[in-house]
Each structure stands twice: as structure tokens, then as C-alpha cells.
Amino acid sequence: MSEYLALYSRLSLRDGDKKEQDASNSIENQRKLLYGYLASHPEFAEYEVLEFVDDGYSGTNFNRPDAERMLEMAKAGQIKVIVVKDLSRFGRNYVEVGTYLETVFPFLHVRFISILDNFDSKYQSAVGDMVLGFKNIRCDYYSKWLSKRIKQTKHFRAEKGVILMPPFFGYRKDKNTGQL
């Protein structure tokens, strides 16, 4: 049985409207950062690298095809190291991310590395890294805050009479007012 190193990238639906090369968190930019990290750390040369990508999925839960596949392989003992750009790419749910970092990965002997957060579970625990805990809370809070702001914006636009859904067949929205 091979031992794998997993590179995980995620891009949410909100970023999906941008062209990939223009988005700062694009899958391609994450990929470059992850492979650059591996190239500068020869200790990972012994592993076969697998890439997992969830493009167009929210980080607020782990119902993402490649995240689920990666975590199943880790539970089966195949994945020994997981590398992500930053904690928010892995997930934005404080409780779930904390459970993986503090309980699941240590139990499975999976090393977790978050490059931009400067976190490597081989050298530090998430409990001992208070800054990482606050970053995890911030990621969770940001998702909830953003959801609330989007709902408020839609509500205010609807109050002004702006049509929020596509117009019915044969009608067009006025480009200036957003009304039919």
C-alpha cells in the first residue's frame, strides 16, 4: 500500500465568477503555492503526491466530493500528510476544522500543514497554537457574516423594487434600474 501526500485546494462559488487567473485564491495559484512548498521541502520526496480539488464548493461544511474522498483515504491509512494553502481552504467551520486538527488527524497519524498560517502539526498542536485557533474562528465567523450581508443586500434591493431573479421569458431587466 502506497503512502500519499495530499494537496488540497478549494475555491468557493463566490470566487467562481472570476476568471481563474484573475482570482487571488484561484485553484491554479493554490496549486503553484502547494507545489512550490513541496519543491522547497525535500523531506516530502518519498511520498506519492495526490491532488484533491473542490472548485465551486463552500468551506462551511465538508460535503465536498474531493474533501470527502481525501478524508476517506486518510481514514484508510493511505494519506499521511495533507497540505493546504491556508486554513480557510480546508474549511470554514470552526467546530469541524478543530475536530480534524485536534482529534481526527492526530488519531490517524496524519500530518497537517497550512502553508500561509505557518502551521505544521508535526511541530505544534492546534491547541498550543492560539493564533491558529483564532484564525479558525475568524474563518467561521467570516462565512456567517458574509451570508448575513448578502441576505441584507438582497432584502434592500427587493425593497427598492429591483427584480432579484431572471426575468420571465420575453421580458428584459432595465440595465439602470434592474426592473422589468
Side-chain angles (χ1 to χ4, degrees), residues 45-101:
E46 68 187 73
Y47 293 100
E48 189 173 335
V49 176
L50 293 178
E51 195 173 328
F52 297 87
V53 178
D54 284 315
D55 195 354
Y57 289 89
S58 170
T60 58
N61 62 58
F62 282 89
N63 299 330
R64 298 174 253 144
D66 261 13
E68 289 175 345
R69 189 168 65 91
M70 177 182 70
L71 294 171
E72 285 303 315
M73 288 180 73
K75 289 174 186 173
Q78 295 172 305
I79 293 178
K80 298 299 178 187
V81 182
I82 296 174
V83 183
V84 297
K85 172 191 168 196
D86 63 41
L87 203 55
S88 70
R89 298 298 95 199
F90 180 62
R92 291 188 178 272
N93 181 305
Y94 172 71
V95 174
E96 281 188 278
V97 171
T99 299
Y100 278 108
L101 294 179

Side-chain angles (χ1 to χ4, degrees), residues 37 41-44 81 101 106 110-114 118-129 132:
Y37 181 83
H41 290 79
E43 67 188 279
F44 299 121
V81 182
L101 294 179
V110 172
R111 182 176 174 184
F112 183 84
I113 299 169
S114 176
N118 200 27
F119 176 79
D120 184 340
S121 64
K122 180 178 179 179
Y123 302 108
Q124 62 204 93
S125 79
V127 170
D129 190 346
L132 187 72

Side-chain angles (χ1 to χ4, degrees), residues 12-49:
S12 71
L13 288 170
R14 300 207 193 294
D15 295 328
D17 293 342
K18 301 175 187 175
K19 290 185 178 175
E20 193 169 293
Q21 28 317 18
D22 296 337
S24 62
N25 284 329
S26 75
I27 297 298
E28 188 57 36
N29 286 337
Q30 290 178 58
R31 187 177 287 127
K32 287 177 186 175
L33 178 75
L34 295 171
Y35 279 105
Y37 181 83
L38 290 185
S40 67
H41 290 79
E43 67 188 279
F44 299 121
E46 68 187 73
Y47 293 100
E48 189 173 335
V49 176

